[in-house]
Amino acid sequence: MASDPKAQIEAALRAALAKVAPAHASAPILLERPKQADHGDLSTNIALQLAKQLGRRPREFAEQLAASIAGDAFERPEVAGPGFINFRLKAGARFGVIARVLEQGARYGWSRSGGGEPVQVEFVSANPTGPLHVGHGRQAALGDAIATLLESQGHKVTREYYYNDAGAQIDKLAWSVQARAKGIRPGERGWPEEGYAGEYIEDIAREYKGDANDVPEVRRFAVAYLRREQDADLAAFGVKFDVYYLESSLYTEGKVEAVLKALVASGKTYEKDGALWLRTTDYGDDKDRVVRKSDGSYTYFVPDVAYHVTKWQRGFKRVINVQGTDHHSTVTRVRAGLQALGLGIPPGWPEYVLHSLVKVTRGGEEVKISKRAGSYVTVRDLIDWVGRDAVRFFLVSRKADSEFVFDVDLARERSDENPVYYVQYAHARLCSVFAQWGGKPATLGSVRLDALRGDREALLASLLDEFPETLAKAAREAAPHDIAFYLRELAAQFHSYYNAERILVDDEELRSARLALCAAVRQTLANGLSLIGVSAPEKM
RNA sequence: GCGCCCGUAGCUCAGCGGAUCAGAGUAUUGGCCUCCGAAGCCAAGGGUCGUGGGUUCGAAUCCCGCCGGGCGCGCCA
């Protein structure tokens, strides 16, 4: 297997540093890929970083450093600008990546750096009181991609869904269904205050054959019905969970009670106005929080803490919760509650990825209503309108914390403007080339690559080379949008190459070499798409 | 009012452990299919990186103020 040229350059730089500036032998080395071709394939600003500390002139220091660097993967480094050191790879090293991709196949880009460390990603966690809305869709797309990214880096990931199937909102659901079953419509006399008005309530009422006066039975039926619906939506979205954790089980197993007792025992609680409060201000909250209301019932805060205690006790030293920014106030609170328990949980545990809300537009207008849900657009609506792949790709293509406007027209009516098709098209196009060629891609792994001389080919190889580090960074930062942007760039570079050069040329050596490069591009596109849950079609 | 997040090209957005960082898509304009898929490619125009200070040899990037927008500020979840 050809070694990674970047790793080799880094090692060579390290060795040179040890010789020229022993005191800084372990300084962090940043190797970048310059945009401009005349700055080489890789470049470092290490001389600029260290010159100041060494009290030396950057350019002079860079020259000295460059002079003592040696390696067989690259040409003699050049010093440029104020003191950058630029590296140009030798052809063999540059295209070595092709063999690596073809050898590793679907695992190209994956690593074992996670060492099997268990991580739990909790996401969606919608109340079973209605269909999933677009915000849940963003969470599903983000959470699933983050989970997959972590798996790609060697973590053992558990995808978890927390069902808030206990509490006041479930009562409201039961009453709404009950009213519907009795023929009462929203707004009419006898309709529950703040009841759920969506069409799905009517569906549930119609399906319910039992006694409308049996509220517990109505509740059981409605919750089960909506869970099935949500499961179907998630299945249509291609998202699977390993664990569904029921809030109700926290009560039936006495975990809520236990946590309350432990909080009292911690001495961090006090009585005021007939309620029991926790001193969360001791842990950075801006005000203390009620844990037991004056009517004797608990606030949702208590089961929340109890739930997180179970995560810790289940052995997850690392937990990532994906939530909307509308819940960001719970971050401090949950952590504070956990701290008060004194279980040795780190103050910053669990981690959170907060995403801004999603706005849906169509025909230039914001869409707020959907028949199915009554007051919001559902994930299912979106999938019906634009297809699963487009929804997935769109929702993951922006930073979590930027507000997202989902333009239905853009994703649907003018599909040629749709970025997901652009990437998928590159993949389908490649498949078409291979179909036309008719040979066996497996034979390309050991083909001679000396015929690859073009700038576009070099650029493609460089992009392929970049994939593993892009993936590692995306996983580290829980930022799937990095993958979407990478795929866009790789697809663009391929389309450009495809238009400029013919792949199936007569010259056998050149044709094989180009096919090998193309096979590597196709593999990497497929790998990246799978990370964000988007299909890689052979035909479109 | 307080807390968190966000202001980058007409529009939608990357870049934000400082330098080789002024970028992509889209829109507009002009080119490219007797040739492996034109859902594609090539080219042009377009930005005082919200604003005012500060740190630095060097700031879209770090710090402070201000302006604008989002979310939160329940004995709701």
Side-chain angles (χ1 to χ4, degrees):
Chain A
M1 185 171 100
S3 78
D4 177 1
K6 187 177 180 182
Q8 189 184 129
I9 289 176
E10 194 171 330
L13 264 170
R14 184 73 65 203
L17 268 184
K19 201 155 52 168
V20 177
H24 297 278
S26 57
I29 294 174
L30 193 63
L31 266 175
E32 291 181 321
R33 298 173 190 276
K35 280 218 161 105
Q36 286 166 259
D38 55 329
H39 293 145
D41 295 295
L42 287 162
S43 174
T44 183
N45 64 352
I46 187 71
L48 289 163
Q49 296 294 349
L50 295 182
K52 190 174 189 178
Q53 301 173 46
L54 291 166
R56 301 188 48 178
R57 271 186 287 201
R59 179 104 202 172
E60 185 186 288
F61 178 55
E63 295 282 5
Q64 190 193 358
L65 202 53
S68 42
I69 294 171
D72 57 10
F74 49 90
E75 312 285 354
R76 219 161 56 82
E78 288 171 12
V79 174
F84 292 96
I85 304 174
N86 298 335
F87 296 86
R88 190 168 299 279
L89 299 182
K90 288 182 179 169
R94 176 170 301 157
F95 294 109
V97 65
I98 292 173
R100 290 202 298 280
V101 176
L102 297 182
E103 183 186 304
Q104 294 168 43
R107 309 292 294 176
Y108 177 63
W110 270 238
S111 101
R112 294 196 193 134
S113 60
E117 178 207 23
V119 181
Q120 186 210 59
V121 183
E122 184 211 324
F123 57 108
V124 184
S125 297
N127 295 341
T129 55
L132 299 175
H133 57 66
V134 291
H136 295 129
R138 187 170 194 180
Q139 244 177 74
L142 267 175
D144 192 45
I146 289 168
T148 310
L149 280 167
L150 289 167
E151 281 169 343
S152 80
Q153 299 306 297
H155 289 98
K156 184 167 177 350
V157 179
T158 299
R159 291 166 173 82
E160 184 152 321
Y161 189 128
Y162 178 58
Y163 263 113
N164 294 96
D165 63 342
Q169 80 280 0
I170 297 296
D171 292 334
K172 253 172 31 181
L173 170 73
W175 294 330
S176 303
V177 173
Q178 182 187 41
R180 264 294 187 182
K182 290 179 170 177
I184 302 165
R185 292 200 293 223
E188 290 178 354
R189 223 166 59 111
W191 184 258
E193 215 175 310
E194 293 178 57
Y196 296 100
E199 202 174 63
Y200 66 94
I201 295 292
E202 197 184 345
D203 296 340
I204 299 170
R206 196 182 316 113
E207 295 284 321
Y208 180 66
K209 305 300 183 198
D211 178 1
N213 291 311
D214 188 348
V215 174
E217 187 52 32
V218 171
R219 180 206 321 257
R220 221 173 356 257
F221 181 82
V223 168
Y225 183 99
L226 286 168
R227 280 195 58 182
R228 274 200 310 278
E229 287 282 297
Q230 292 186 351
D231 286 350
D233 288 351
L234 290 166
F237 205 38
V239 175
K240 289 199 183 86
F241 287 88
D242 303 298
V243 176
Y244 289 89
Y245 203 100
L246 268 52
E247 182 189 6
S248 55
S249 74
L250 293 169
Y251 288 94
T252 57
E253 290 169 17
K255 291 186 158 61
V256 175
E257 197 71 30
V259 159
L260 189 80
K261 275 191 189 141
L263 285 174
V264 171
S266 76
K268 291 288 182 180
T269 58
Y270 59 91
E271 299 267 356
K272 194 181 90 182
D273 304 331
L276 186 70
W277 298 69
L278 179 69
R279 260 184 251 283
T280 53
T281 48
D282 286 0
Y283 304 99
D285 205 353
D286 54 356
K287 58 182 77 166
D288 290 341
R289 303 293 166 175
V290 170
V291 290
R292 192 184 59 220
K293 299 184 242 178
S294 51
D295 69 2
S297 64
Y298 302 144
T299 59
Y300 69 93
F301 172 52
V302 184
D304 260 13
V305 173
Y307 174 47
H308 281 87
V309 169
T310 75
K311 293 189 184 189
W312 179 257
Q313 287 171 342
R314 281 183 279 158
F316 294 111
K317 295 280 183 283
R318 194 162 169 218
V319 166
I320 299 175
N321 292 337
V322 184
Q323 296 183 350
T325 53
D326 54 337
H327 285 81
H328 77 236
S329 65
T330 68
V331 175
T332 311
R333 225 170 311 167
V334 166
R335 286 177 180 163
L338 292 168
Q339 287 310 299
L341 289 171
L343 297 172
I345 296 174
W349 189 96
E351 298 165 46
Y352 284 83
V353 171
L354 300 177
H355 70 268
S356 295
L357 277 353
V358 182
K359 196 160 83 172
V360 177
T361 65
R362 197 171 181 177
E365 303 265 313
E366 181 172 1
V367 187
K368 283 187 167 161
I369 309 290
S370 101
K371 231 178 137 187
R372 188 178 281 126
S375 57
Y376 54 87
V377 178
T378 67
V379 178
R380 185 55 77 92
D381 290 330
L382 236 39
I383 296 173
D384 288 348
W385 292 338
V386 309
R388 175 189 129 173
D389 282 343
V391 179
R392 277 265 193 157
F393 196 97
F394 267 58
L395 290 178
V396 126
S397 64
R398 277 158 182 67
K399 275 184 308 203
D401 54 12
S402 71
E403 198 184 335
F404 186 67
V405 178
F406 196 111
D407 184 339
V408 174
D409 301 315
L410 181 91
R412 173 173 169 255
E413 286 169 25
R414 303 153 89 184
S415 58
D416 56 319
E417 294 169 16
N418 188 327
V420 67
Y421 288 142
Y422 184 84
V423 177
Q424 288 183 320
Y425 181 57
H427 186 269
R429 225 178 191 186
L430 279 157
C431 290
S432 174
V433 171
F434 281 100
Q436 178 132 350
W437 171 53
K440 292 193 177 120
T443 62
L444 295 168
S446 53
V447 116
R448 280 173 62 86
L449 299 170
D450 301 340
L452 298 178
R453 310 246 173 218
D455 288 344
R456 284 191 171 80
E457 288 160 345
L459 264 169
L460 269 176
S462 171
L463 271 176
L464 294 177
D465 205 25
E466 215 172 308
F467 184 63
E469 60 204 77
T470 298
L471 218 167
K473 180 169 177 278
R476 193 170 58 245
E477 298 178 356
H481 74 275
D482 284 345
I483 302 300
F485 277 89
Y486 173 86
L487 287 170
R488 230 273 158 209
E489 201 180 343
L490 181 58
Q493 193 51 47
F494 166 71
H495 284 309
S496 176
Y497 176 58
Y498 182 89
N499 274 274
E501 306 283 356
R502 194 176 166 78
I503 294 157
L504 298 174
V505 292
D506 292 334
D507 180 325
E508 195 188 324
E509 186 179 337
L510 182 60
R511 184 178 64 230
S512 297
R514 286 183 170 170
L515 281 165
L517 173 63
C518 285
V521 171
R522 180 172 67 162
Q523 182 70 61
T524 305
L525 285 173
N527 290 4
L529 285 169
S530 83
L531 285 168
I532 54 175
V534 178
S535 69
E538 294 183 14
K539 286 181 180 168
M540 292 175 67

